[in-house]
Amino acid sequence: FDTRLLQLLAGLAFTLSLVAFMWMWFDPDTNSARQSDELLKLASEMLDCTKQGMTFDAAQQICELLLPATSAIAVAITNREIILGYTGYNSDNNVPGSPIRTTTTHETLEDGKPRILHHTDDIGLPASSSQINAAIVQPLSIGESIEGTLKFYYSRATQLTKTQESLAQGFAELLSTQIAASALEEQVKLTTSMELKALQAQINPHFMFNTINTIASLIRTDPNKARNLLRDFAAFYR
């Protein structure tokens, strides 16, 4: 009797645990919170990748982060001319640095419009990409200037749900913002450097003239101090 009672209690505990787990898993609020947490974590990781700008390494890392977060079989990032990053199906034929091959990518780069493509013929890929039958192409922009594209490739058109479209748009906007921030930071550095050079061009001739005159006057009166000033002067210009 004791053994059967223990088995019954163990079975009841397992059932209750399973029900609780299923309730938590399928509860809309819990599920939404979990998805939000995962997306925020993914967004943070993407931003970390672009600290040095949209380099080949950054683009490749971002593609590898995005692929498991969607239903896509391949993810790509391009600039206006070449592939910066690619992961997933047929990656051997889409290595970073190779030219853009799809007609729809060129069209998006020209007009800045996102494209939701439900047929293979609409994508404009070569025959070697036969398993790609649908795609989302999102522009990456700085203001009105289109700087590249973010692309998701799918094996079936039925995978192009509103969720996939929203994810693609959100990720593209995030990357566009980061690209713009990197460009602004680089512009600030360039402006600062130019201002410093202009300032140096004004100061250096006067500084050199005054220093040489000072050293010249000390050569007779205090040779040791003149020698030390010359060494400091040389070190400064080095």
Side-chain angles (χ1 to χ4, degrees):
F1 175 80
D2 292 342
T3 303
R4 284 184 295 175
L5 178 60
L6 288 174
Q7 289 176 340
L8 180 62
L9 290 174
L12 181 60
F14 174 79
T15 302
L16 290 173
S17 298
L18 182 61
V19 169
F21 173 79
M22 295 297 290
W23 179 83
M24 290 180 64
W25 182 262
F26 290 106
D27 177 65
D29 292 336
T30 303
N31 193 41
S32 177
R34 184 175 63 253
Q35 289 178 344
S36 298
D37 182 62
E38 290 173 353
L39 287 175
L40 286 172
K41 181 181 178 181
L42 178 58
S44 177
E45 291 174 343
M46 288 170 59
L47 294 180
D48 286 340
C49 292
T50 56
K51 285 182 177 178
Q52 303 301 320
M54 189 56 73
T55 62
F56 283 108
D57 287 342
Q60 186 63 32
Q61 290 176 33
I62 290 170
C63 288
E64 291 170 3
L65 285 171
L66 291 179
L67 183 61
T70 69
S71 300
I73 60 173
V75 179
I77 294 175
T78 76
N79 60 15
R80 291 193 61 85
E81 298 175 352
I82 61 174
I83 297 171
L84 295 178
Y86 188 103
T87 191
Y89 170 73
N90 204 24
S91 58
D92 290 342
N93 293 321
N94 294 279
V95 295
S98 56
I100 296 170
R101 300 189 298 166
T102 56
T103 55
T104 51
T105 303
H106 288 290
E107 290 170 356
T108 296
L109 288 168
E110 287 300 317
D111 60 23
K113 296 179 180 178
R115 283 174 166 77
I116 313 297
L117 308 162
H118 294 83
H119 304 285
T120 306
D121 294 341
D122 296 336
I123 302 172
L125 280 167
S128 60
S129 302
S130 57
Q131 291 188 31
I132 295 177
N133 298 301
I136 298 175
V137 183
Q138 286 283 345
L140 300 176
S141 59
I142 300 178
E144 298 297 323
S145 175
I146 309 302
E147 300 296 323
T149 61
L150 173 63
K151 302 186 288 185
F152 298 86
Y153 293 122
Y154 302 85
S155 58
R156 301 186 307 276
T158 53
Q159 294 174 310
L160 294 183
T161 62
K162 291 298 181 183
T163 298
Q164 293 298 305
E165 292 178 22
S166 297
L167 284 173
Q169 181 181 357
F171 290 139
E173 290 176 354
L174 179 65
L175 287 180
S176 292
T177 301
Q178 189 62 15
I179 292 171
S182 296
L184 179 60
E185 184 177 357
E186 188 62 30
Q187 185 63 38
V188 169
K189 289 180 180 178
L190 180 61
T191 302
T192 302
S193 176
M194 291 175 64
E195 289 174 349
L196 284 174
K197 288 180 179 178
L199 187 60
Q200 286 174 342
Q202 295 175 25
I203 293 175
N204 283 351
H206 300 289
F207 174 73
M208 181 182 292
F209 178 78
N210 292 333
T211 303
I212 291 174
N213 279 340
T214 301
I215 293 171
S217 66
L218 289 170
I219 288 175
R220 289 184 179 179
T221 60
D222 194 344
N224 288 331
K225 190 171 184 179
R227 187 185 303 112
N228 291 332
L229 280 175
L230 278 172
R231 287 174 180 170
D232 292 341
F233 193 48
F236 171 80
Y237 273 97
R238 188 186 304 116

